[in-house]
Amino acid sequence: MKEKNTKEQLIYKLTKLRQRITELEQTEEALRISEEKFRAIAETAVDAIISADKNGNIIFWNSGAQRIFGYTDEEILGKPLTVLMPERYREQHKKGIEKIALTGKSKYTGRIAQMYGLRKDGSEFPAELSVAMWKAKKEIFYSAIIRDITKRKTLEWELEKLATTDMLTQVFNRTKFYEIIKIETERIKRYNHSLSLILFDIDHFKKVNDTYGHGVGDYVLRTLTKIVKNNLREIDYLVRWGGEEFIIIAPETDLGKAKILAERIRTAVEDYKFNRIGTITISLGVTQFTNGDTEDTLIKRADDAMYKAKKRGRNRVEVCEAKRIG
């Protein structure tokens, strides 16, 4: 009887073992099919799909990633993810990997982030990044989908330029002026810097258009902006205010320095020989931002100073200071 029970137990165990082997084979087959599906999808994806181990070393790399970044499988597999990112991101990435190892959490999972990728040739490109994280055999793995958004960003930059640039002269327009002046006035309030404004227009510009035509008038406006820009610093802004009127925003510049800048521009314009018409002159008004100013009061003082220059004979610089209270 005991022998019979032992035999039955053995048969039972063998049956269970076969079932277990079958289940493992089915699981393995399911995993194989799942992996094949993943690879098939990944290889047809336009975006880059990259997987990495717990140390951030690349273990999977699809054809989309190869096309976007320029590396072959042989060149990239086993390499750290940092080779695909500009230097400025690498330290933050390293700290992120260390934090995940401690907490098991990442601020990038479950959301789309924008950053820049680094191609094999050293060029950067704007990208959208989404990250997933999973565990297998108690180890953490990562996968990332990276989309090259260069075309979208280029379109956005072009639309931004159209919205904020004067098409004739290629300098900023009024819309951009109000954006800049708001940022700059907030900055000087915070850091107690100086800010000056120069408003100028072309003397007798109507006569140029009436005598030579609007085509020549447009040439004068385009050439004038080049002359002015050549005499500005990188931190200065040139805005076409309207018609033949222009504004210069001069950050970190007090009234005295702004007057010197205005005089330099006036002289440069006066000395230039324009095709067909010879010389032209400009009249300039200068003022400095003071506490209590708004964009409108600042422009009004610069405008008053410019018209003072007109009344006093044109081709000159005049200054208008804010009235002191008390």
Side-chain angles (χ1 to χ4, degrees):
M1 187 69 179
K2 186 176 181 181
E3 185 180 342
K4 183 179 179 181
N5 289 339
T6 303
K7 189 174 181 181
E8 287 177 351
Q9 288 173 355
L10 182 60
I11 293 170
Y12 175 79
K13 288 180 180 180
L14 286 172
T15 303
K16 285 294 184 181
L17 181 60
R18 289 195 190 99
Q19 289 177 350
R20 181 60 178 157
I21 290 170
T22 302
E23 288 173 0
L24 288 171
E25 287 174 345
Q26 290 174 343
T27 301
E28 188 175 317
E29 178 66 9
L31 286 171
R32 186 186 64 78
I33 293 170
S34 178
E35 184 176 349
E36 286 179 357
K37 285 182 179 179
F38 168 75
R39 287 184 177 274
I41 293 169
E43 288 305 322
T44 57
V46 175
D47 299 333
I49 299 177
I50 303 169
S51 295
D53 62 19
K54 64 179 182 179
N55 298 315
N57 295 321
I58 298 167
I59 57 175
F60 175 80
W61 170 271
N62 75 335
S63 57
Q66 183 174 329
R67 177 182 56 79
I68 291 172
F69 287 96
Y71 292 96
T72 63
D73 288 351
E74 293 75 16
E75 291 173 317
I76 204 69
L77 291 177
K79 296 291 193 303
L81 287 167
T82 49
V83 301
L84 306 179
M85 59 185 71
E87 184 71 34
R88 60 186 178 275
Y89 296 126
R90 294 178 184 178
E91 185 61 30
Q92 184 180 356
H93 170 78
K94 182 182 175 183
K95 290 179 180 177
I97 292 288
E98 291 171 353
K99 184 178 179 181
I100 292 169
L102 291 172
T103 66
K105 296 179 180 179
S106 169
K107 67 178 182 178
Y108 289 106
T109 55
R111 70 183 186 91
I112 296 174
Q114 288 193 7
M115 59 178 293
Y116 279 83
L118 182 67
R119 295 189 179 93
K120 180 182 175 181
D121 63 10
S123 62
E124 295 185 14
F125 66 94
E128 267 184 356
L129 169 72
S130 56
V131 177
M133 187 172 63
W134 75 93
K135 286 185 178 181
K137 296 181 180 178
K138 297 183 179 180
E139 286 196 1
I140 295 174
F141 293 87
Y142 310 93
S143 66
I145 299 176
I146 300 170
R147 174 167 294 176
D148 183 346
I149 57 172
T150 300
K151 289 183 179 179
R152 186 207 307 172
K153 283 296 181 183
T154 300
L155 179 59
E156 289 176 3
W157 292 331
E158 288 174 353
L159 291 173
E160 169 73 10
K161 185 176 180 181
L162 285 171
T164 60
T165 303
D166 175 64
M167 290 299 100
L168 175 64
T169 61
Q170 293 299 299
V171 298
F172 293 130
N173 61 16
R174 281 197 183 207
T175 300
K176 189 66 175 179
F177 168 83
Y178 283 108
E179 179 185 323
I180 295 168
I181 202 69
K182 182 177 180 180
I183 294 170
E184 291 298 331
T185 52
E186 288 298 321
R187 182 176 294 149
I188 62 177
K189 288 174 184 176
R190 185 178 303 172
Y191 300 109
N192 199 30
H193 291 170
S194 299
L195 175 72
S196 290
L197 207 68
I198 303 171
L199 193 152
F200 68 90
D201 79 353
I202 304 172
D203 297 327
H204 304 297
F205 184 67
K206 184 177 183 300
K207 186 177 179 181
V208 173
N209 279 330
D210 292 345
T211 304
Y212 300 98
H214 289 279
V216 173
D218 290 348
Y219 151 73
V220 169
L221 290 169
R222 287 193 297 266
T223 306
L224 173 69
T225 57
K226 292 177 182 177
I227 297 168
V228 175
K229 287 171 74 174
N230 285 339
N231 285 275
L232 296 178
R233 304 163 301 172
E234 288 188 5
I235 63 171
D236 297 327
Y237 304 92
L238 179 60
V239 176
R240 187 180 181 191
W241 192 240
E244 68 272 27
E245 281 191 342
F246 294 83
I247 287 179
I248 297 166
I249 302 172
E252 300 180 25
T253 306
D254 62 23
L255 195 61
K257 290 178 181 178
K259 185 178 180 182
I260 293 171
L261 172 60
E263 186 60 37
R264 183 168 74 240
I265 291 169
R266 186 199 65 77
T267 302
V269 173
E270 183 184 29
D271 291 344
Y272 190 86
K273 298 297 185 288
F274 289 81
N275 295 336
R276 294 186 63 184
I277 66 173
T279 60
I280 65 168
T281 61
I282 58 175
S283 298
L284 307 94
V286 183
T287 194
Q288 180 179 343
F289 180 91
T290 59
N291 291 333
D293 263 332
T294 65
E295 294 95 336
D296 293 336
T297 58
L298 194 62
I299 294 167
K300 177 67 168 56
R301 283 205 309 278
D303 193 54
D304 290 344
M306 185 188 73
Y307 276 98
K308 188 191 294 183
K310 294 280 189 186
K311 290 179 182 178
R312 292 185 174 180
R314 295 184 170 86
N315 188 27
R316 59 186 293 129
V317 176
E318 292 290 342
V319 171
C320 185
E321 297 185 55
K323 292 181 180 179
R324 295 183 180 276
I325 300 173

